[in-house]
Amino acid sequence: MTIRENTLSIFALGGINEIGKNMYAIQYSNDIVIIDCGAKFPDESLLGIDLIIPDITYLLENKDKIRALIVTHGHEDHIGGIPYILKKLNVPIYATRFTLGLIELKLKEHRILRETELILIDSDSKFDLGEISVSFFKTSHSIPDCLGIVFHTPEGNVVHTGDFKFDLTPVNNQYSDIHKMAEIGRGDVLVLLSESTNAERPGSTPSEQIVGDHIEDAFMKAKRKVIISTFASNVNRVQQVVDSAIKTNRKLALLGRSMVNVVSVAMEHGYLNVPDGLLIDAKEINQLPPEKVAILCTGSQGEPMAALSRLASSNYRDVDILPEDTVIIAAGPIPGNERNVSRIVDNLFSLGAKVIYGSGSVTGMHVSGHGYQEDLKLMLTLMKPKYFIPIHGEFRMLHQHRLLAESVGVGKDHTFIINNGDVVDINNSVARQTRKIPAGNIYVDGVGVGDIGDVVLRDRKQLSEDGMLVIVITLSKTERKIVSGPDTISRGFVYAPDSEDLLRDVNRLVKTTVNDLQEANIHQWNVMKQNIKKSIGQYLYTHTKRKPMILPIIIEV
Amino acid sequence: MTIRENTLSIFALGGINEIGKNMYAIQYSNDIVIIDCGAKFPDESLLGIDLIIPDITYLLENKDKIRALIVTHGHEDHIGGIPYILKKLNVPIYATRFTLGLIELKLKEHRILRETELILIDSDSKFDLGEISVSFFKTSHSIPDCLGIVFHTPEGNVVHTGDFKFDLTPVNNQYSDIHKMAEIGRGDVLVLLSESTNAERPGSTPSEQIVGDHIEDAFMKAKRKVIISTFASNVNRVQQVVDSAIKTNRKLALLGRSMVNVVSVAMEHGYLNVPDGLLIDAKEINQLPPEKVAILCTGSQGEPMAALSRLASSNYRDVDILPEDTVIIAAGPIPGNERNVSRIVDNLFSLGAKVIYGSGSVTGMHVSGHGYQEDLKLMLTLMKPKYFIPIHGEFRMLHQHRLLAESVGVGKDHTFIINNGDVVDINNSVARQTRKIPAGNIYVDGVGVGDIGDVVLRDRKQLSEDGMLVIVITLSKTERKIVSGPDTISRGFVYAPDSEDLLRDVNRLVKTTVNDLQEANIHQWNVMKQNIKKSIGQYLYTHTKRKPMILPIIIEV
């Protein structure tokens, strides 16, 4: 399909029908600007996969048109894919100070910092990227230095919110610039792309300050040491932990690599105020009275190798959790992590700790960084867009967001619920969703990027459920008879020493199958293997109700 | 360890540190009474396992002492293990009418109904089981006909609550007999075993009637057909769906095997009032105007083969979900099922349906059957036990339940937090927890019960994460050299056609490894295999950061 000159096109390469790997793009004629490049963690069905990143086939085919990657903020689902795509697509990256700091950490790890062009911007920046001009506005979220973006194109203005909530009492001045948003909305907004993570939740998102109040209370009440776990990137929450430690006259130790890294970036660039002498090393914890110590650590999602999990299983050098210690999990479990978090809480109770855990609405120890329904309606009201594309969410969230838009006056037929790869084209102020570009999941497994496909995953699934039975048989080339085997080797199917009878029956059946074929003068390996698979598969299913992978190996000598 | 005569012993064989497979027992001298025999569904770490049941080694060793299995109610985590243990331990089963009905369905499926002794009881029953006398009290839960049990022993009385909440406005007369509980408590209760599922939730459990009100509202508002999904065993909720269908002049179709089965048991025994002519067949749905139809179906937990999932993916013969249909998921997702439920909701939105879903506290379409903190405190207050054993829950719930007991006057040192297999022995009114009996998980996989152990599961895990590389090599017995191979076969590791270079390198390395050993005059297969595993393992980890299972196969001819 050919696209008319002067068409404004908007599409997602990731972030739709999922929470994760956000990547969107705006194209006007020969200029493309990319917004974010996130990664996603696999669910348990993607066996062995480490990470998922967006498919950027379309961008590679249009390399010459790409002007910039603008990053709205520094969360993994917005920056996690950057090191992988940079290896194929060297594009200048625009981001604010804190976001750049986190990107730099990542690029250093992947050893590609030097060859990458990083451009520092702030919410007052304005510049041209071909025929597209961009400007920005400040938003509140659960990480400092977040941006919304305005794309000024000859066809009209497109606003991308980034991730946001409205926090009217923010910590460390991380406010939402409502005045600037109103000004943008007073001009004409042709299309609004707004995030949908919490489109299912009624009401307004509580302010981060509420968490600070609860942390302070818990620090006050704690009779011995306090261990608090939260997301390292939530610097404003870290600030509140720091403040509570100061107020209750405790020293603070940081545990966990990402906590140490992110805090150091945040301190370096002034996003975090930590007085000299507050921070102590893990080794010093036991030298102080317990009521003079607090520990801030990673692992609030139950990650098995992170600090909190190791503390809970008494497996952290220099630090023990003792009876009457207070442990605070200042984060709600992200769906899928509940079981791991629960195991940690079980262990902490067994150690005699006082544990404050559970959803933020019960404990007050967590608030979301994503706007609830009233926040989303406020954004829609401020921007008054002609067209609306809900982004950043699973389909049900996008549908709920569409209903919210309708309730504040965006016509149902002016909202586009797109999937990754769908393109919304706008000409003469008329938007249509008609074409598709390639989009999908690229799997990262170890050092391999994109080399694991459906065949390998299907095999892993079968292997995971019922294991494998390897059947080796050696045939004589000249005499056409079995000279060795059949030998059967089980891995993950049955425990061989306990299943001698079954395996003996299998061997007997293989022998019969092969002999029958030989007698019928059928010697093709493929046919033999097919027949072995079929007869053994049926036999095993009848006798065990299991379907292991059967791998016949025929050697001819 | 020997136990004194006249000792009262209490232990759990399942249900502690887990939600599922409840099985408890009371022993006095030579009499053992079992309470419940549940099953548990495996989490995703137990690859390929279908079901988990309790280890009953101790009971098998004491077969002659076992007097009865009393079943408190008909949920899977209380009856699911029965068919499996009956095959090893033929014990008479005591249960109420509805519970027996569900057990009968199960035994029929396993073809062991005829040889099982089933004894019908009700909350007024009283009988002796050796030196232990038992009586009962009615409780409210999310299934009809639930019992709490009182064990009268020479040492004192033990109360087991079963699963319960207090519902003061129950549906279909499924009330909590608070007067009888008070009477039991006025006598001396030596030990209380009380369930802990909701010990983390503040407040009181809402009444089931609230759900009925919300269902009726939704039926009233619905302009086209209504599809509602809930647990088949929640007969009182089913009754409320029936009532709403009648009030809104809709016919009702039942979809899903367990819905049809359970409703027929409930109707047969009078637990459900369904007027003649209300129920229709799935085929009749399309013959009626959509506003005259409701559908009650299974699949509220997102089970991929259940009716709701098939409806949502437009994959159910005779029934389509069309725009403006109303779909109600009248159940909260059980932890672990969120993702499956969410996918269904996404699909339903895409079909244009109005979907009412999410936690019961938001939709009003679900209330728990387990008592919240105030319910648990009321039970503790009614029973005034000397000793308390919180059961039926993960450790954090048991610890929270202990705190609740403390708050109503049960001394901290009078509460025993036990694990499966721990025994609480009571002599002369003094309780001690000192000994252990065997307890654990028995895995059911296909027709195999207990034949899958740690070795097989470990193999499945490795296979699931990085697959397998089979390396076949044929050696000449006489000349001590490679006559065929090495051939490498990948399953779940890499896709062979895309990885020719890597596999060629592997072959080369295997050849070198074998030749080096031969030259060093080392011919033992074990040593050769170890060396191949090691060198190839290292090579693959260096080049791919993956650790497939490596299976070297050496053939000698």
Side-chain angles (χ1 to χ4, degrees):
Chain A
M1 183 171 174
T2 54
I3 318 149
R4 259 191 288 175
E5 270 292 291
N6 306 329
T7 295
L8 170 63
S9 304
I10 300 171
F11 50 91
L13 291 172
I16 306 286
N17 195 18
E18 62 189 344
I19 295 290
K21 78 177 211 331
N22 288 285
M23 189 173 203
Y24 307 90
I26 307 284
Q27 178 165 11
Y28 183 78
S29 290
N30 289 315
D31 299 307
I32 298 176
V33 180
I34 310 167
I35 306 144
D36 294 338
C37 178
K40 181 168 76 162
F41 295 103
D43 65 33
E44 62 271 15
S45 71
L46 292 173
L47 298 163
I49 299 298
D50 299 323
L51 205 67
I52 304 168
I53 59 171
D55 181 343
I56 56 164
T57 304
Y58 179 83
L59 300 178
L60 294 176
E61 285 167 358
N62 292 277
K63 260 187 180 171
D64 55 315
K65 301 194 177 98
I66 297 172
R67 305 291 162 245
L69 163 60
I70 304 179
V71 182
T72 58
H73 65 286
H75 278 148
E76 277 304 304
D77 58 334
H78 296 257
I79 70 170
I82 291 177
Y84 301 96
I85 73 125
L86 272 184
K87 286 168 194 168
K88 294 185 168 181
L89 186 75
N90 198 347
V91 53
I93 300 175
Y94 295 75
T96 54
R97 184 63 268 169
F98 187 67
T99 308
L100 275 190
L102 296 182
I103 294 172
E104 281 162 1
L105 281 179
K106 223 167 244 303
L107 299 183
K108 248 182 236 165
E109 244 174 60
H110 283 258
R111 298 166 191 278
I112 49 171
L113 178 58
R114 288 222 321 224
E115 55 265 47
T116 309
E117 190 185 351
L118 299 174
I119 297 143
L120 178 64
I121 57 174
D122 63 31
S123 63
D124 293 326
S125 301
K126 277 184 190 177
F127 47 92
D128 294 338
L129 297 164
E131 288 192 77
I132 305 174
S133 306
V134 291
S135 63
F136 303 91
F137 54 95
K138 272 178 96 104
T139 62
S140 301
H141 184 43
S142 47
I143 188 169
D145 238 5
C146 296
L147 292 178
I149 313 173
V150 189
F151 299 90
H152 310 266
T153 80
E155 180 62 41
N157 295 338
V158 179
V159 173
H160 182 294
T161 61
D163 290 5
F164 74 96
K165 68 182 199 183
F166 288 97
D167 191 337
L168 305 183
T169 55
V171 177
N172 278 355
N173 205 29
Q174 295 294 328
Y175 63 92
S176 314
D177 193 343
I178 299 186
H179 296 97
K180 194 162 183 184
M181 294 183 210
E183 199 186 309
I184 294 163
R186 268 200 306 274
D188 272 342
V189 174
L190 180 63
V191 188
L192 172 67
L193 288 82
S194 181
E195 70 121 328
S196 312
T197 314
N198 274 338
E200 296 170 288
R201 298 173 80 167
S204 300
T205 318
S207 168
E208 178 64 29
Q209 282 217 357
I210 287 178
V211 178
D213 295 343
H214 284 91
I215 292 175
E216 196 180 314
D217 278 359
F219 271 62
M220 294 276 187
K221 282 189 192 147
K223 294 187 196 105
R224 300 180 57 91
K225 70 177 177 296
V226 181
I227 298 94
I228 180 165
S229 179
T230 194
F231 303 104
S233 63
N234 197 332
V235 173
N236 298 333
R237 194 163 301 162
V238 171
Q239 181 69 63
Q240 300 193 107
V241 172
V242 166
D243 295 345
S244 292
I246 298 169
K247 277 196 193 160
T248 57
N249 209 11
R250 294 169 185 267
K251 298 287 183 186
L252 185 66
L254 305 177
L255 303 189
R257 197 172 61 104
S258 72
M259 189 61 77
V260 172
N261 282 344
V262 174
V263 166
S264 96
V265 169
M267 286 173 67
E268 186 188 333
H269 297 300
Y271 293 93
L272 196 56
N273 302 311
V274 182
D276 288 346
L278 182 78
L279 297 182
I280 56 170
D281 196 82
K283 288 193 194 103
E284 301 173 69
I285 292 170
N286 285 334
Q287 297 159 19
L288 291 165
E291 71 276 13
K292 296 286 174 208
V293 177
I295 295 169
L296 173 60
C297 67
T298 55
S300 63
Q301 293 304 310
E303 304 91 329
M305 301 306 294
L308 185 65
S309 173
R310 287 160 60 205
L311 286 167
S313 49
S314 302
N315 191 18
Y316 204 103
R317 210 156 53 100
D318 303 323
V319 190
D320 291 310
I321 292 186
L322 298 171
E324 301 300 316
D325 281 351
T326 300
V327 182
I328 305 167
I329 303 182
I334 293 168
N337 296 343
E338 295 89 347
R339 214 180 314 252
N340 283 341
V341 174
S342 295
R343 283 288 155 246
I344 289 177
V345 174
D346 285 343
N347 289 343
L348 292 169
F349 270 117
S350 297
L351 294 172
K354 202 184 147 210
V355 195
I356 303 174
Y357 65 101
S359 85
S361 60
V362 172
T363 63
M365 291 294 184
H366 177 67
V367 297
S368 178
H370 299 277
Y372 290 9
Q373 293 179 345
E374 295 305 315
D375 300 57
L376 300 179
K377 281 156 68 180
L378 179 53
M379 180 63 83
L380 282 155
T381 301
L382 284 165
M383 292 300 169
K384 296 185 295 161
K386 176 167 184 186
Y387 294 110
F388 175 48
I389 306 178
I391 57 170
H392 199 300
E394 305 194 24
F395 278 135
R396 62 192 181 285
M397 303 165 190
L398 309 183
H399 281 277
Q400 296 280 21
H401 205 172
R402 183 218 287 253
L403 295 176
L404 297 174
E406 234 185 302
S407 76
V408 296
V410 178
K412 196 175 174 180
D413 53 344
H414 279 211
T415 294
F416 291 87
I417 296 202
I418 58 169
N419 203 338
N420 296 326
D422 289 335
V423 182
V424 176
D425 288 315
I426 305 166
N427 270 113
N428 301 322
S429 293
V430 178
R432 286 188 197 82
Q433 180 202 325
T434 47
R435 57 191 182 98
K436 271 186 164 308
I437 57 169
N441 289 330
I442 301 294
Y443 302 133
V444 180
D445 181 8
V447 297
V449 178
D451 65 333
I452 297 289
D454 291 341
V455 174
V456 172
L457 282 174
R458 208 174 51 219
D459 284 353
R460 286 184 186 172
K461 184 162 167 54
Q462 190 182 2
L463 290 168
S464 76
E465 285 173 357
D466 286 315
M468 177 177 227
L469 201 63
V470 181
I471 299 169
V472 190
I473 190 162
T474 312
L475 298 177
S476 151
K477 227 178 274 189
T478 47
E479 301 166 61
R480 304 267 191 210
K481 62 168 201 174
I482 299 175
V483 293
S484 162
D487 295 303
T488 50
I489 304 155
S490 158
R491 286 292 182 276
F493 167 51
V494 292
Y495 184 55
D498 292 349
S499 305
E500 285 176 7
D501 290 353
L502 183 76
L503 297 180
R504 198 179 306 124
D505 288 349
V506 166
N507 282 343
R508 208 174 288 143
L509 186 54
V510 173
K511 213 175 262 180
T512 315
T513 308
V514 172
N515 286 339
D516 287 356
L517 287 170
Q518 304 275 24
E519 275 174 29
N521 218 11
I522 296 168
H523 304 289
Q524 297 96 314
W525 285 16
N526 276 348
V527 179
M528 270 195 235
K529 286 181 181 176
Q530 280 310 325
N531 275 271
I532 292 171
K533 275 191 190 179
K534 201 177 154 192
S535 61
I536 300 303
Q538 279 172 350
Y539 181 85
L540 293 178
Y541 188 71
T542 309
H543 287 79
T544 68
K545 289 277 178 289
R546 297 177 200 165
K547 294 178 177 174
M549 181 180 286
I550 295 165
L551 182 65
I553 295 177
I554 300 176
I555 313 282
E556 230 176 40
V557 291
Chain B
M1 185 172 175
T2 56
I3 318 149
R4 262 191 288 175
E5 270 292 291
N6 305 331
T7 295
L8 170 64
S9 304
I10 300 171
F11 50 92
L13 291 172
I16 306 285
N17 194 18
E18 61 190 344
I19 295 290
K21 80 177 211 329
N22 287 285
M23 190 173 202
Y24 307 91
I26 308 284
Q27 177 165 13
Y28 183 78
S29 289
N30 290 315
D31 299 307
I32 298 175
V33 181
I34 310 167
I35 305 145
D36 294 338
C37 178
K40 182 167 76 161
F41 294 102
D43 65 33
E44 62 271 16
S45 70
L46 293 172
L47 298 164
I49 299 298
D50 299 323
L51 204 68
I52 304 168
I53 58 172
D55 181 344
I56 57 164
T57 303
Y58 179 82
L59 299 179
L60 294 176
E61 284 167 358
N62 292 276
K63 258 185 182 173
D64 56 314
K65 301 194 177 98
I66 296 172
R67 305 291 162 245
L69 163 60
I70 304 179
V71 182
T72 58
H73 65 286
H75 278 149
E76 277 305 303
D77 58 333
H78 296 258
I79 69 169
I82 291 177
Y84 301 96
I85 73 124
L86 273 184
K87 287 168 193 168
K88 294 183 167 182
L89 186 76
N90 198 346
V91 54
I93 300 176
Y94 295 74
T96 53
R97 184 62 269 171
F98 187 68
T99 309
L100 276 191
L102 295 183
I103 293 173
E104 282 162 0
L105 281 180
K106 223 168 243 302
L107 299 183
K108 248 181 237 165
E109 241 174 61
H110 283 259
R111 300 167 190 281
I112 50 172
L113 178 58
R114 288 222 323 224
E115 55 265 47
T116 309
E117 191 184 351
L118 298 174
I119 297 143
L120 178 64
I121 56 173
D122 62 32
S123 63
D124 294 327
S125 300
K126 276 184 190 178
F127 48 91
D128 294 339
L129 297 164
E131 287 192 77
I132 304 174
S133 305
V134 290
S135 63
F136 304 91
F137 55 94
K138 273 178 96 105
T139 61
S140 302
H141 184 41
S142 47
I143 188 171
D145 238 6
C146 295
L147 293 177
I149 313 173
V150 189
F151 299 90
H152 310 267
T153 80
E155 180 61 43
N157 296 338
V158 179
V159 172
H160 182 293
T161 61
D163 290 5
F164 75 96
K165 68 182 200 183
F166 288 96
D167 191 337
L168 306 183
T169 55
V171 176
N172 279 355
N173 205 29
Q174 294 294 328
Y175 63 92
S176 315
D177 192 344
I178 298 186
H179 296 97
K180 194 163 184 184
M181 293 183 209
E183 199 186 309
I184 295 163
R186 269 199 305 275
D188 272 343
V189 174
L190 180 64
V191 188
L192 172 67
L193 288 82
S194 181
E195 70 121 327
S196 313
T197 315
N198 274 337
E200 295 169 289
R201 298 172 80 168
S204 300
T205 319
S207 169
E208 178 64 28
Q209 282 215 357
I210 286 178
V211 178
D213 295 344
H214 283 91
I215 292 174
E216 197 181 313
D217 278 358
F219 270 61
M220 295 275 188
K221 281 189 193 147
K223 293 189 196 108
R224 300 180 56 91
K225 70 178 178 298
V226 180
I227 297 94
I228 180 165
S229 180
T230 193
F231 304 105
S233 64
N234 197 331
V235 174
N236 298 334
R237 193 163 301 162
V238 171
Q239 181 70 61
Q240 300 194 110
V241 172
V242 166
D243 295 345
S244 292
I246 298 169
K247 275 197 196 161
T248 57
N249 209 11
R250 294 169 185 266
K251 299 287 182 185
L252 185 66
L254 306 177
L255 303 189
R257 197 171 62 104
S258 73
M259 189 60 77
V260 172
N261 283 343
V262 174
V263 166
S264 96
V265 169
M267 285 174 68
E268 186 187 333
H269 297 300
Y271 293 93
L272 196 55
N273 301 311
V274 183
D276 288 346
L278 181 79
L279 297 181
I280 56 169
D281 196 82
K283 287 193 194 104
E284 301 172 69
I285 292 170
N286 285 333
Q287 296 158 21
L288 292 165
E291 71 275 13
K292 296 290 174 202
V293 177
I295 295 169
L296 173 60
C297 67
T298 55
S300 63
Q301 293 304 309
E303 304 91 329
M305 300 306 294
L308 185 64
S309 173
R310 287 160 58 207
L311 286 168
S313 49
S314 303
N315 191 16
Y316 204 102
R317 209 155 55 97
D318 302 324
V319 191
D320 291 310
I321 292 185
L322 298 172
E324 300 300 317
D325 281 351
T326 300
V327 182
I328 305 166
I329 302 182
I334 294 168
N337 297 342
E338 295 89 348
R339 214 180 312 250
N340 282 341
V341 175
S342 294
R343 282 289 155 243
I344 288 177
V345 175
D346 285 342
N347 289 342
L348 291 169
F349 270 116
S350 297
L351 293 172
K354 201 184 147 207
V355 195
I356 302 174
Y357 65 101
S359 86
S361 60
V362 173
T363 63
M365 292 294 183
H366 177 68
V367 297
S368 178
H370 299 278
Y372 290 8
Q373 292 180 346
E374 294 306 315
D375 300 57
L376 300 179
K377 280 157 70 180
L378 179 53
M379 180 63 83
L380 283 154
T381 301
L382 284 166
M383 293 299 169
K384 295 184 297 162
K386 177 167 184 185
Y387 294 109
F388 174 48
I389 306 179
I391 57 170
H392 199 300
E394 305 195 23
F395 277 135
R396 63 191 180 284
M397 304 166 189
L398 309 182
H399 281 277
Q400 296 280 21
H401 206 171
R402 183 218 287 251
L403 295 176
L404 297 174
E406 235 186 302
S407 75
V408 297
V410 179
K412 195 174 173 180
D413 53 343
H414 278 211
T415 295
F416 291 88
I417 295 202
I418 59 169
N419 204 339
N420 296 327
D422 288 336
V423 183
V424 176
D425 288 315
I426 305 165
N427 270 113
N428 301 321
S429 294
V430 178
R432 286 189 198 83
Q433 180 202 326
T434 47
R435 57 191 182 97
K436 270 187 165 309
I437 57 170
N441 289 330
I442 302 294
Y443 302 133
V444 179
D445 182 7
V447 298
V449 178
D451 65 333
I452 298 288
D454 291 342
V455 175
V456 173
L457 281 175
R458 208 175 50 220
D459 284 354
R460 286 184 187 173
K461 187 164 164 52
Q462 190 182 2
L463 290 169
S464 76
E465 284 173 357
D466 287 316
M468 178 177 225
L469 200 63
V470 181
I471 299 170
V472 190
I473 190 162
T474 313
L475 298 177
S476 151
K477 227 179 275 190
T478 47
E479 300 166 60
R480 304 270 191 207
K481 62 169 202 170
I482 299 175
V483 293
S484 161
D487 295 303
T488 50
I489 304 156
S490 157
R491 286 290 184 275
F493 166 51
V494 291
Y495 184 56
D498 292 349
S499 304
E500 286 176 8
D501 290 353
L502 182 75
L503 297 179
R504 198 178 308 125
D505 289 349
V506 166
N507 281 345
R508 208 173 288 144
L509 186 54
V510 173
K511 213 175 263 181
T512 314
T513 308
V514 172
N515 286 340
D516 287 356
L517 288 170
Q518 303 275 23
E519 273 173 33
N521 219 12
I522 296 168
H523 305 289
Q524 296 98 313
W525 285 16
N526 276 349
V527 180
M528 268 195 237
K529 286 182 182 176
Q530 281 309 325
N531 275 271
I532 291 172
K533 274 191 193 181
K534 202 177 153 193
S535 61
I536 300 302
Q538 280 172 349
Y539 181 85
L540 292 179
Y541 188 70
T542 310
H543 287 79
T544 68
K545 288 279 178 288
R546 299 178 199 164
K547 294 177 176 175
M549 181 180 284
I550 296 166
L551 182 65
I553 296 176
I554 299 177
I555 314 281
E556 231 176 40
V557 290

